[in-house]
Amino acid sequence: MDDPLQRILIRGVGLSVSWARVALAWAEALTNIAASHASDSDCDAAHHISDEELVALSIGVAMINVWNGLAAGDRLSADNKRAA
């Protein structure tokens, strides 16, 4: 077991590596939707996780992207102070 992702998922969370890879690919596809336009391969891969998981993951990714967009637009740095 040389894959760090696999070690974390199996020992720490109990998720399968294939589930995590699909989830990460879906999160990446949603984050880059302007460039990828949700390709067929992204949508097909998303069918490998349950509808409930897909909805929860999609909402989580959307919220993170909203907060990142707001922070970038306000020029916030990691310490929550505006950059000069």
Side-chain angles (χ1 to χ4, degrees):
M1 192 178 340
D2 293 332
D3 184 1
L5 178 61
Q6 186 174 9
R7 285 196 305 271
I8 291 168
L9 294 173
I10 291 173
R11 291 184 187 158
V13 184
L15 298 173
S16 72
V17 172
S18 60
W19 185 96
R21 292 193 193 286
V22 168
L24 291 171
W26 182 247
E28 192 72 22
L30 291 181
T31 298
N32 297 316
I33 195 77
S36 70
H37 305 292
S39 70
D40 290 341
S41 63
D42 293 330
C43 292
D44 290 342
H47 291 293
H48 294 285
I49 59 179
S50 74
D51 289 344
E52 293 82 12
E53 292 169 326
L54 185 62
V55 168
L57 177 61
S58 297
I59 290 170
V61 169
M63 292 304 300
I64 291 168
N65 287 334
V66 166
W67 285 113
N68 285 341
L70 291 172
D74 203 25
R75 301 283 193 240
L76 291 177
S77 64
D79 61 359
N80 290 330
K81 295 180 183 173
R82 282 191 178 177

